[in-house]
Amino acid sequence: MKEIPGDLKFMKSHEWARVEDDGTVTIGISDHAQGLLGDLVYVELPNVGDTLEVGAGCAVVESVKAASDVYAPVSGEVIKVNSALADSPETINEDAYGDGWIVVVKPSNLQEDMDNLLDPDAYAEQVDSEDE
Amino acid sequence: MSQQTVLNATHRALGAKMVDFGGWDMPISYGSQIEEHHAVRRDAGMFDVSHMTVVDLRGARTREFLRHLVANSVDKLKVAGKALYTCMLNAEGGVIDDLIVYYLDEEYFRLVVNAATRDKDLAWISAQAQAYGVSVTERPELAMIAVQGPNARAKVQSLLSPETAAKAAKIGKFVACEGDGLFIARTGYTGEDGYEIVVPQEQAVELWNRLQAAGVVPAGLGARDTLRLEAGMNLYGQDMDESVSPYEAALGWTVALDEGRDFIGRAVLEQQKAQGAPRQLVGVVMDDKGVLRHGQRVTSANGDGEILSGTFSPTLGKSIAFVRIPAGEPGQLQVDIRGKLVPLRVVKFPFVRDGKPCDGI
């Protein structure tokens, strides 16, 4: 498995969130999640301006095998979506923590939402126990 | 505890992701299932299909028995080695399984049936065979490897003895030959040319490794599913089962209503042929983005239906599916994807043949 960047925090359901220098939050799915899904063929994105609520569905990723909801790790307003994924959803397979990001939000309850997420070690531990 | 084929450790050593399929622990992919799909369409790929059940039928009245057992006519099988695709029906005309019958000699026919239906198939066939004095023998000691793709036959032939290679090169589509201890059939489930090779278990790993060394790419059940749906081929349990007649599964072409042959289920099929079956299977393409999946609701002019087999087609770059809807002119079909109705285009299938999209797709 790929090394997990230390500045990410995770939901149990495999989404990651990263607080950027400007206070926005970038959201994606983990490398482990893309591995479980297999080749991605379609990503349904929210619209810029949509309001996300923590724990609610904010995007859908579909592989040949399955469709999976992506849940928002933080509440906030969508300020950017990765529209390149429309033509090349496989970017998530190739670079889940980088070019495969899904949305950027302006968070509305940052501190509390981030505190509820798992740090990389705790997430890695969860993934390991799933594999057993 | 799921069953394992003799190639199980080989799959794991290749890093395959394993899943349960009809009670068998099988590789779904070894890496990217889309890459495996393209390898079969463009060059050559191989599948472990040892989970499928080989059943040998022997006895003087075997042909007569098969005339009664299956909906296609084994009287089309005149030359040794010739194969026939057919449905095996219950008395209500529902499909118990789809299978291939090979004619080997007048007292010896071979069936290859699905893994998931093994137990009920064997029970049904054995019960029907009694009256004909036909022996029914499963051959679990045989493994099976399907080698498929435009370069598949040449790659297989390069590994055979000169005599067997010559035989294998000569056989036409849907014909089998024997040699080097192998049963080599020019059949498949991908829409590409190639062979399905029945091999004694103890030789299977070596054959697999030699094929891989010859450049044949290991492919999993994931690629097998996208390939067969592009090729317009049904999957038992998804596209038809015991509640569905061949006419409702677009398998009318496999039904032979030849005169005087009293096969199981015939009365119901005659009736459906005369009056029309209540439901139909059509092929669809979705030009919008998204993926069609089994169980999604489909609206038509005559009422709702559902997606049977549905997938993303790697060759076409869009989603394709089989849909079962009420009989009659369907009008504009729409599929319900997460509450949104998306238009579908009804098309003739196969969707892809010999590596290329078919006309109108």
Side-chain angles (χ1 to χ4, degrees):
Chain A
M1 197 172 65
K2 264 186 207 163
E3 184 140 345
I4 301 174
D7 56 349
L8 302 186
K9 293 192 92 178
F10 291 85
M11 296 180 87
K12 278 187 179 158
S13 49
H14 307 293
E15 295 81 359
W16 57 261
R18 181 177 60 224
V19 182
E20 308 293 351
D21 293 342
D22 62 3
T24 62
V25 176
T26 307
I27 294 168
I29 65 167
S30 74
D31 190 58
H32 176 73
Q34 69 76 20
L36 291 177
L37 284 162
D39 294 318
L40 291 175
V41 293
Y42 175 56
V43 181
E44 190 178 296
L45 296 165
N47 296 313
V48 170
D50 283 0
T51 302
L52 303 188
E53 211 174 301
V54 66
C58 66
V60 179
V61 287
E62 295 210 42
S63 68
V64 185
K65 265 187 276 174
S68 182
D69 285 313
V70 177
Y71 300 105
V74 297
S75 295
E77 183 195 332
V78 176
I79 53 170
K80 219 157 69 168
V81 298
N82 189 356
S83 41
L85 295 176
D87 289 325
S88 47
E90 68 276 9
T91 307
I92 294 178
N93 294 116
E94 292 157 2
D95 191 9
Y97 298 132
D99 291 344
W101 64 275
I102 296 172
V103 295
V104 177
V105 301
K106 192 173 140 207
S108 55
N109 191 19
L110 183 64
Q111 200 55 52
E112 196 184 330
D113 287 348
M114 291 304 286
D115 284 350
N116 285 328
L117 298 176
L118 302 169
D119 63 35
D121 287 345
Y123 177 69
E125 214 166 281
Q126 181 204 300
V127 167
D128 285 346
S129 65
E130 271 177 22
D131 284 343
E132 276 163 20
Chain B
M1 183 63 203
S2 63
Q3 288 181 273
Q4 301 188 350
T5 75
V6 70
L7 287 159
N8 192 276
T10 307
H11 301 318
R12 289 177 178 276
L14 288 168
K17 195 170 291 173
M18 308 296 286
V19 292
D20 179 83
F21 182 80
W24 291 78
D25 184 49
M26 299 298 288
I28 188 154
S29 67
Y30 300 83
S32 161
Q33 81 170 78
I34 290 182
E35 293 301 316
E36 292 164 19
H37 178 108
H38 290 318
V40 172
R41 285 272 178 260
R42 294 166 187 168
D43 184 10
M46 61 179 163
F47 307 86
D48 176 13
V49 287
S50 306
H51 59 304
M52 296 193 74
T53 311
V54 178
V55 183
D56 284 350
L57 305 177
R58 289 179 189 269
R61 297 174 67 196
T62 304
R63 186 184 288 270
E64 188 188 343
F65 165 57
L66 286 168
R67 282 192 190 111
H68 175 65
L69 184 74
V70 298
N72 207 339
S73 176
V74 290
D75 290 328
K76 293 173 184 172
L77 300 174
K78 298 192 174 81
V79 181
K82 184 76 183 147
L84 182 75
Y85 174 71
T86 183
C87 291
M88 176 167 77
L89 307 179
N90 59 26
E92 293 74 46
V95 182
I96 295 173
D97 200 7
D98 63 333
L99 53 105
I100 292 182
V101 184
Y102 294 96
Y103 166 49
L104 300 175
D105 68 50
E106 233 11 80
E107 303 200 350
Y108 180 17
F109 287 69
R110 170 168 283 178
L111 309 180
V112 177
V113 307
N114 281 306
T117 49
R118 173 189 170 275
D119 294 350
K120 70 165 187 176
D121 286 3
L122 285 170
W124 176 262
I125 294 165
S126 300
Q128 307 299 324
Q130 269 183 3
Y132 294 84
V134 168
S135 73
V136 178
T137 312
E138 192 193 349
R139 302 291 304 275
E141 76 280 16
L142 297 177
M144 207 180 327
I145 299 172
V147 189
Q148 304 274 296
N151 299 325
R153 290 170 65 232
K155 289 190 197 244
V156 170
Q157 287 162 26
S158 74
L159 305 178
L160 301 171
S161 69
E163 309 86 75
T164 306
K167 274 199 255 181
K170 232 174 64 185
I171 52 173
K173 288 195 175 174
F174 245 67
V175 177
C177 67
E178 291 183 79
D180 299 358
L182 308 172
F183 177 89
I184 303 167
R186 196 169 163 194
T187 51
Y189 195 46
T190 62
E192 298 297 325
D193 208 341
Y195 297 121
E196 291 178 301
I197 304 171
V198 179
V199 50
Q201 269 188 349
E202 58 275 13
Q203 294 172 34
V205 172
E206 194 206 343
L207 177 62
W208 179 276
N209 290 336
R210 290 177 70 212
L211 285 163
Q212 201 182 354
V216 179
V217 175
L221 291 177
R224 191 168 161 80
D225 192 55
T226 51
L227 287 158
R228 68 91 194 167
L229 185 56
E230 285 187 349
M233 293 170 170
N234 295 44
L235 172 63
Y236 190 82
Q238 207 157 69
D239 301 311
M240 71 289 198
D241 57 30
E242 294 189 25
S243 69
V244 174
S245 83
Y247 292 130
E248 296 177 307
L251 293 172
W253 63 277
T254 71
V255 174
L257 296 174
D258 44 345
E259 220 171 292
R261 188 171 65 94
D262 180 26
F263 65 84
I264 301 165
R266 176 160 185 155
V268 176
L269 295 197
E270 297 261 14
Q271 201 186 350
Q272 287 194 352
K273 176 101 182 165
Q275 298 167 9
R279 297 171 295 178
Q280 61 183 331
L281 182 154
V282 299
V284 298
V285 172
M286 183 166 72
D287 293 310
D288 290 25
K289 294 207 170 195
V291 184
L292 298 171
R293 298 190 191 278
H294 181 66
Q296 286 167 342
R297 185 175 67 96
V298 173
T299 64
S300 84
N302 304 304
D304 283 0
E306 66 166 351
I307 301 285
L308 305 169
S309 289
T311 195
F312 175 81
S313 157
T315 305
L316 303 172
K318 48 177 92 165
S319 202
I320 58 173
F322 288 152
V323 180
R324 185 165 293 116
I325 46 173
E329 247 339 284
Q332 174 66 57
L333 297 187
Q334 291 184 295
V335 61
D336 181 343
I337 298 185
R338 294 184 286 274
K340 210 165 76 188
L341 287 176
V342 181
L344 299 175
R345 193 155 50 82
V346 176
V347 298
K348 284 209 176 99
F349 54 87
F351 303 93
V352 175
R353 193 36 64 93
D354 293 326
K356 292 186 186 65
C358 295
D359 290 345
I361 307 292

